[in-house]
Amino acid sequence: MNAPMRPADVGLALVVVLVWGMNFVVIKAGVSEVPPLLLGALRFAAAAFPALLFVRAPRLPVSLYLKYGMTIAVGQFACLFTAIHIGMPSGLASLVLQSQAFFTLIFAVVFLKEAWRPSQLVGLVLAGGGLMLIGTAHGVSMPLGGFLLTVAGAASWAVGNIVNRSLSRHGPVNMLGFVVWSSLVPPIPFLLLSWLIEGPAAMGAALAGFSLTAAGAVLYLAWGATLLGYGLWSRLMSRYPASQVSPYPLLVPLVGLTAGWLIYDERLEAVHFAGGVLLMLGLIVNLFWPRIAKRLIRA
């Protein structure tokens, strides 16, 4: 039987939940000042420098750094930042993004030939129903484009999770070092996308009028959500079994929804809540059902 987490480590896990949950309202503040793709470039440039001067790069193939940087970073956050920029509520984005867990299941079957457990299929159906409910409620409070971009960001995160799984072939990996050095990859693609889509005039205007709000958003996203969040998370994952640590991110949408309501007065429709309940129930079934079933059998 696994030893319980020490109170201090439970506190660190809750710090990660708070930091990652607040990430979404910070993104909303950032994209109100800086074009979203340019914000992505600044975020990962600040995550890489000066941290790479103090953290060694794990000895891994360059291709893994490129794949991780283009999926977890560019794919996920180009979609998420743009979604929030065009009106996706920050709290709802924190919830919908959790669908990455189910895209990961689908991609694991396609790319890794993994088999699903019955409980995973049940969780997938519940989560899919929740996403459909949320998607049907588009309108003034949630543009359809924002919802679809958030789902696309979740799918890109899931592809990055498949890349993550391949790291185990190379032995124990310092994930903080991997995240820091992978942050060298996104700035150039982000800048190219910003130049092509947002335009040099918008980029120049944002940089010329760079405000304290924009600077605070960049630093929070880079040092808080990326370095502090992943640093603490890697430490916890190295100390405890994944089954003990992995439930904590389920609290991230709670923080995100609460922060969006308190800071931006984001009010969700009943159908959003119903869809959110189904999505979270699907996550809980997927995560906890094997342990629940074992206890039922023993009883």
PDB file of all heavy atoms in Angstrom, residues 42-64:
ATOM      1  N   LEU A  42       6.477  35.294 -26.727  1.00  0.00           N
ATOM      2  CA  LEU A  42       7.091  35.940 -25.563  1.00  0.00           C
ATOM      3  C   LEU A  42       7.082  35.008 -24.353  1.00  0.00           C
ATOM      4  O   LEU A  42       8.050  34.973 -23.579  1.00  0.00           O
ATOM      5  CB  LEU A  42       6.349  37.232 -25.245  1.00  0.00           C
ATOM      6  CG  LEU A  42       6.413  38.326 -26.320  1.00  0.00           C
ATOM      7  CD1 LEU A  42       5.513  39.497 -25.946  1.00  0.00           C
ATOM      8  CD2 LEU A  42       7.849  38.797 -26.519  1.00  0.00           C
ATOM      9  N   ARG A  43       5.994  34.266 -24.191  1.00  0.00           N
ATOM     10  CA  ARG A  43       5.907  33.345 -23.050  1.00  0.00           C
ATOM     11  C   ARG A  43       7.053  32.343 -23.064  1.00  0.00           C
ATOM     12  O   ARG A  43       7.738  32.142 -22.056  1.00  0.00           O
ATOM     13  CB  ARG A  43       4.583  32.590 -23.088  1.00  0.00           C
ATOM     14  CG  ARG A  43       4.544  31.454 -22.069  1.00  0.00           C
ATOM     15  CD  ARG A  43       3.380  30.509 -22.245  1.00  0.00           C
ATOM     16  NE  ARG A  43       3.424  29.472 -21.221  1.00  0.00           N
ATOM     17  CZ  ARG A  43       2.373  28.779 -20.837  1.00  0.00           C
ATOM     18  NH1 ARG A  43       1.194  28.990 -21.381  1.00  0.00           N
ATOM     19  NH2 ARG A  43       2.493  27.857 -19.910  1.00  0.00           N
ATOM     20  N   PHE A  44       7.263  31.680 -24.194  1.00  0.00           N
ATOM     21  CA  PHE A  44       8.254  30.603 -24.219  1.00  0.00           C
ATOM     22  C   PHE A  44       9.683  31.128 -24.309  1.00  0.00           C
ATOM     23  O   PHE A  44      10.615  30.476 -23.828  1.00  0.00           O
ATOM     24  CB  PHE A  44       7.923  29.613 -25.332  1.00  0.00           C
ATOM     25  CG  PHE A  44       6.720  28.769 -24.983  1.00  0.00           C
ATOM     26  CD1 PHE A  44       5.476  29.079 -25.493  1.00  0.00           C
ATOM     27  CD2 PHE A  44       6.845  27.718 -24.087  1.00  0.00           C
ATOM     28  CE1 PHE A  44       4.361  28.327 -25.132  1.00  0.00           C
ATOM     29  CE2 PHE A  44       5.742  26.966 -23.724  1.00  0.00           C
ATOM     30  CZ  PHE A  44       4.492  27.262 -24.246  1.00  0.00           C
ATOM     31  N   ALA A  45       9.854  32.318 -24.869  1.00  0.00           N
ATOM     32  CA  ALA A  45      11.188  32.934 -24.820  1.00  0.00           C
ATOM     33  C   ALA A  45      11.561  33.233 -23.376  1.00  0.00           C
ATOM     34  O   ALA A  45      12.705  32.987 -22.945  1.00  0.00           O
ATOM     35  CB  ALA A  45      11.201  34.204 -25.660  1.00  0.00           C
ATOM     36  N   ALA A  46      10.598  33.738 -22.603  1.00  0.00           N
ATOM     37  CA  ALA A  46      10.864  34.043 -21.189  1.00  0.00           C
ATOM     38  C   ALA A  46      11.019  32.779 -20.355  1.00  0.00           C
ATOM     39  O   ALA A  46      11.720  32.785 -19.337  1.00  0.00           O
ATOM     40  CB  ALA A  46       9.723  34.906 -20.623  1.00  0.00           C
ATOM     41  N   ALA A  47      10.372  31.670 -20.774  1.00  0.00           N
ATOM     42  CA  ALA A  47      10.530  30.402 -20.049  1.00  0.00           C
ATOM     43  C   ALA A  47      11.911  29.802 -20.295  1.00  0.00           C
ATOM     44  O   ALA A  47      12.476  29.135 -19.418  1.00  0.00           O
ATOM     45  CB  ALA A  47       9.441  29.420 -20.472  1.00  0.00           C
ATOM     46  N   ALA A  48      12.451  30.047 -21.486  1.00  0.00           N
ATOM     47  CA  ALA A  48      13.762  29.474 -21.817  1.00  0.00           C
ATOM     48  C   ALA A  48      14.916  30.289 -21.230  1.00  0.00           C
ATOM     49  O   ALA A  48      15.891  29.725 -20.720  1.00  0.00           O
ATOM     50  CB  ALA A  48      13.912  29.380 -23.331  1.00  0.00           C
ATOM     51  N   PHE A  49      14.808  31.615 -21.297  1.00  0.00           N
ATOM     52  CA  PHE A  49      15.892  32.488 -20.823  1.00  0.00           C
ATOM     53  C   PHE A  49      15.447  33.237 -19.573  1.00  0.00           C
ATOM     54  O   PHE A  49      14.370  33.836 -19.563  1.00  0.00           O
ATOM     55  CB  PHE A  49      16.263  33.503 -21.919  1.00  0.00           C
ATOM     56  CG  PHE A  49      16.775  32.888 -23.177  1.00  0.00           C
ATOM     57  CD1 PHE A  49      15.939  32.741 -24.282  1.00  0.00           C
ATOM     58  CD2 PHE A  49      18.082  32.431 -23.282  1.00  0.00           C
ATOM     59  CE1 PHE A  49      16.399  32.171 -25.456  1.00  0.00           C
ATOM     60  CE2 PHE A  49      18.549  31.865 -24.450  1.00  0.00           C
ATOM     61  CZ  PHE A  49      17.705  31.736 -25.541  1.00  0.00           C
ATOM     62  N   PRO A  50      16.224  33.252 -18.511  1.00  0.00           N
ATOM     63  CA  PRO A  50      17.582  32.698 -18.424  1.00  0.00           C
ATOM     64  C   PRO A  50      17.643  31.297 -17.829  1.00  0.00           C
ATOM     65  O   PRO A  50      18.715  30.815 -17.468  1.00  0.00           O
ATOM     66  CB  PRO A  50      18.272  33.690 -17.480  1.00  0.00           C
ATOM     67  CG  PRO A  50      17.167  34.042 -16.515  1.00  0.00           C
ATOM     68  CD  PRO A  50      15.885  34.054 -17.320  1.00  0.00           C
ATOM     69  N   ALA A  51      16.500  30.592 -17.710  1.00  0.00           N
ATOM     70  CA  ALA A  51      16.469  29.310 -17.002  1.00  0.00           C
ATOM     71  C   ALA A  51      17.443  28.290 -17.582  1.00  0.00           C
ATOM     72  O   ALA A  51      18.039  27.498 -16.839  1.00  0.00           O
ATOM     73  CB  ALA A  51      15.044  28.736 -17.022  1.00  0.00           C
ATOM     74  N   LEU A  52      17.638  28.297 -18.909  1.00  0.00           N
ATOM     75  CA  LEU A  52      18.509  27.286 -19.495  1.00  0.00           C
ATOM     76  C   LEU A  52      19.971  27.442 -19.068  1.00  0.00           C
ATOM     77  O   LEU A  52      20.785  26.525 -19.222  1.00  0.00           O
ATOM     78  CB  LEU A  52      18.385  27.287 -21.021  1.00  0.00           C
ATOM     79  CG  LEU A  52      18.695  28.556 -21.812  1.00  0.00           C
ATOM     80  CD1 LEU A  52      20.166  28.802 -21.973  1.00  0.00           C
ATOM     81  CD2 LEU A  52      18.017  28.488 -23.176  1.00  0.00           C
ATOM     82  N   LEU A  53      20.314  28.612 -18.518  1.00  0.00           N
ATOM     83  CA  LEU A  53      21.675  28.803 -17.997  1.00  0.00           C
ATOM     84  C   LEU A  53      21.891  28.038 -16.701  1.00  0.00           C
ATOM     85  O   LEU A  53      23.037  27.820 -16.291  1.00  0.00           O
ATOM     86  CB  LEU A  53      21.934  30.300 -17.758  1.00  0.00           C
ATOM     87  CG  LEU A  53      21.827  31.219 -18.979  1.00  0.00           C
ATOM     88  CD1 LEU A  53      22.030  32.666 -18.564  1.00  0.00           C
ATOM     89  CD2 LEU A  53      22.845  30.809 -20.045  1.00  0.00           C
ATOM     90  N   PHE A  54      20.803  27.632 -16.040  1.00  0.00           N
ATOM     91  CA  PHE A  54      20.903  26.985 -14.741  1.00  0.00           C
ATOM     92  C   PHE A  54      20.403  25.536 -14.746  1.00  0.00           C
ATOM     93  O   PHE A  54      20.565  24.820 -13.756  1.00  0.00           O
ATOM     94  CB  PHE A  54      20.087  27.774 -13.703  1.00  0.00           C
ATOM     95  CG  PHE A  54      20.454  29.232 -13.634  1.00  0.00           C
ATOM     96  CD1 PHE A  54      19.705  30.191 -14.295  1.00  0.00           C
ATOM     97  CD2 PHE A  54      21.582  29.640 -12.930  1.00  0.00           C
ATOM     98  CE1 PHE A  54      20.049  31.528 -14.241  1.00  0.00           C
ATOM     99  CE2 PHE A  54      21.937  30.979 -12.870  1.00  0.00           C
ATOM    100  CZ  PHE A  54      21.177  31.933 -13.534  1.00  0.00           C
ATOM    101  N   VAL A  55      19.798  25.114 -15.839  1.00  0.00           N
ATOM    102  CA  VAL A  55      19.241  23.760 -15.922  1.00  0.00           C
ATOM    103  C   VAL A  55      19.850  23.044 -17.117  1.00  0.00           C
ATOM    104  O   VAL A  55      19.849  23.570 -18.228  1.00  0.00           O
ATOM    105  CB  VAL A  55      17.693  23.812 -16.082  1.00  0.00           C
ATOM    106  CG1 VAL A  55      17.124  22.395 -16.121  1.00  0.00           C
ATOM    107  CG2 VAL A  55      17.066  24.594 -14.941  1.00  0.00           C
ATOM    108  N   ARG A  56      20.365  21.845 -16.876  1.00  0.00           N
ATOM    109  CA  ARG A  56      20.956  21.069 -17.965  1.00  0.00           C
ATOM    110  C   ARG A  56      19.886  20.487 -18.875  1.00  0.00           C
ATOM    111  O   ARG A  56      18.806  20.139 -18.433  1.00  0.00           O
ATOM    112  CB  ARG A  56      21.800  19.920 -17.412  1.00  0.00           C
ATOM    113  CG  ARG A  56      23.117  20.352 -16.791  1.00  0.00           C
ATOM    114  CD  ARG A  56      23.922  19.129 -16.415  1.00  0.00           C
ATOM    115  NE  ARG A  56      25.215  19.476 -15.856  1.00  0.00           N
ATOM    116  CZ  ARG A  56      26.137  18.585 -15.470  1.00  0.00           C
ATOM    117  NH1 ARG A  56      25.857  17.293 -15.579  1.00  0.00           N
ATOM    118  NH2 ARG A  56      27.293  18.989 -14.977  1.00  0.00           N
ATOM    119  N   ALA A  57      20.239  20.371 -20.142  1.00  0.00           N
ATOM    120  CA  ALA A  57      19.343  19.712 -21.092  1.00  0.00           C
ATOM    121  C   ALA A  57      19.497  18.201 -20.963  1.00  0.00           C
ATOM    122  O   ALA A  57      20.617  17.684 -21.040  1.00  0.00           O
ATOM    123  CB  ALA A  57      19.679  20.149 -22.514  1.00  0.00           C
ATOM    124  N   PRO A  58      18.417  17.459 -20.722  1.00  0.00           N
ATOM    125  CA  PRO A  58      18.508  15.996 -20.694  1.00  0.00           C
ATOM    126  C   PRO A  58      19.036  15.470 -22.030  1.00  0.00           C
ATOM    127  O   PRO A  58      18.772  16.043 -23.086  1.00  0.00           O
ATOM    128  CB  PRO A  58      17.048  15.554 -20.468  1.00  0.00           C
ATOM    129  CG  PRO A  58      16.385  16.738 -19.844  1.00  0.00           C
ATOM    130  CD  PRO A  58      17.054  17.941 -20.443  1.00  0.00           C
ATOM    131  N   ARG A  59      19.791  14.366 -21.951  1.00  0.00           N
ATOM    132  CA  ARG A  59      20.347  13.785 -23.179  1.00  0.00           C
ATOM    133  C   ARG A  59      19.259  12.991 -23.898  1.00  0.00           C
ATOM    134  O   ARG A  59      19.027  11.818 -23.616  1.00  0.00           O
ATOM    135  CB  ARG A  59      21.535  12.887 -22.835  1.00  0.00           C
ATOM    136  CG  ARG A  59      22.728  13.668 -22.288  1.00  0.00           C
ATOM    137  CD  ARG A  59      23.931  12.779 -22.077  1.00  0.00           C
ATOM    138  NE  ARG A  59      25.082  13.521 -21.611  1.00  0.00           N
ATOM    139  CZ  ARG A  59      26.269  12.977 -21.339  1.00  0.00           C
ATOM    140  NH1 ARG A  59      26.441  11.661 -21.487  1.00  0.00           N
ATOM    141  NH2 ARG A  59      27.266  13.730 -20.926  1.00  0.00           N
ATOM    142  N   LEU A  60      18.630  13.663 -24.825  1.00  0.00           N
ATOM    143  CA  LEU A  60      17.528  13.081 -25.588  1.00  0.00           C
ATOM    144  C   LEU A  60      17.689  13.467 -27.049  1.00  0.00           C
ATOM    145  O   LEU A  60      18.330  14.477 -27.368  1.00  0.00           O
ATOM    146  CB  LEU A  60      16.181  13.618 -25.067  1.00  0.00           C
ATOM    147  CG  LEU A  60      15.799  13.259 -23.626  1.00  0.00           C
ATOM    148  CD1 LEU A  60      14.621  14.128 -23.176  1.00  0.00           C
ATOM    149  CD2 LEU A  60      15.435  11.785 -23.525  1.00  0.00           C
ATOM    150  N   PRO A  61      17.094  12.699 -27.955  1.00  0.00           N
ATOM    151  CA  PRO A  61      17.139  13.088 -29.370  1.00  0.00           C
ATOM    152  C   PRO A  61      16.503  14.464 -29.585  1.00  0.00           C
ATOM    153  O   PRO A  61      15.485  14.796 -28.966  1.00  0.00           O
ATOM    154  CB  PRO A  61      16.316  11.989 -30.061  1.00  0.00           C
ATOM    155  CG  PRO A  61      16.381  10.819 -29.147  1.00  0.00           C
ATOM    156  CD  PRO A  61      16.450  11.394 -27.755  1.00  0.00           C
ATOM    157  N   VAL A  62      17.102  15.237 -30.468  1.00  0.00           N
ATOM    158  CA  VAL A  62      16.577  16.572 -30.764  1.00  0.00           C
ATOM    159  C   VAL A  62      15.137  16.485 -31.263  1.00  0.00           C
ATOM    160  O   VAL A  62      14.316  17.387 -31.011  1.00  0.00           O
ATOM    161  CB  VAL A  62      17.473  17.277 -31.803  1.00  0.00           C
ATOM    162  CG1 VAL A  62      16.847  18.593 -32.262  1.00  0.00           C
ATOM    163  CG2 VAL A  62      18.864  17.521 -31.233  1.00  0.00           C
ATOM    164  N   SER A  63      14.814  15.390 -31.937  1.00  0.00           N
ATOM    165  CA  SER A  63      13.458  15.242 -32.480  1.00  0.00           C
ATOM    166  C   SER A  63      12.399  15.272 -31.386  1.00  0.00           C
ATOM    167  O   SER A  63      11.283  15.761 -31.608  1.00  0.00           O
ATOM    168  CB  SER A  63      13.339  13.934 -33.271  1.00  0.00           C
ATOM    169  OG  SER A  63      13.576  12.808 -32.423  1.00  0.00           O
ATOM    170  N   LEU A  64      12.722  14.767 -30.188  1.00  0.00           N
ATOM    171  CA  LEU A  64      11.752  14.788 -29.092  1.00  0.00           C
ATOM    172  C   LEU A  64      11.500  16.213 -28.610  1.00  0.00           C
ATOM    173  O   LEU A  64      10.361  16.577 -28.292  1.00  0.00           O
ATOM    174  CB  LEU A  64      12.243  13.921 -27.934  1.00  0.00           C
ATOM    175  CG  LEU A  64      12.196  12.410 -28.156  1.00  0.00           C
ATOM    176  CD1 LEU A  64      12.744  11.669 -26.944  1.00  0.00           C
ATOM    177  CD2 LEU A  64      10.768  11.948 -28.434  1.00  0.00           C
TER     178      LEU A  64
END
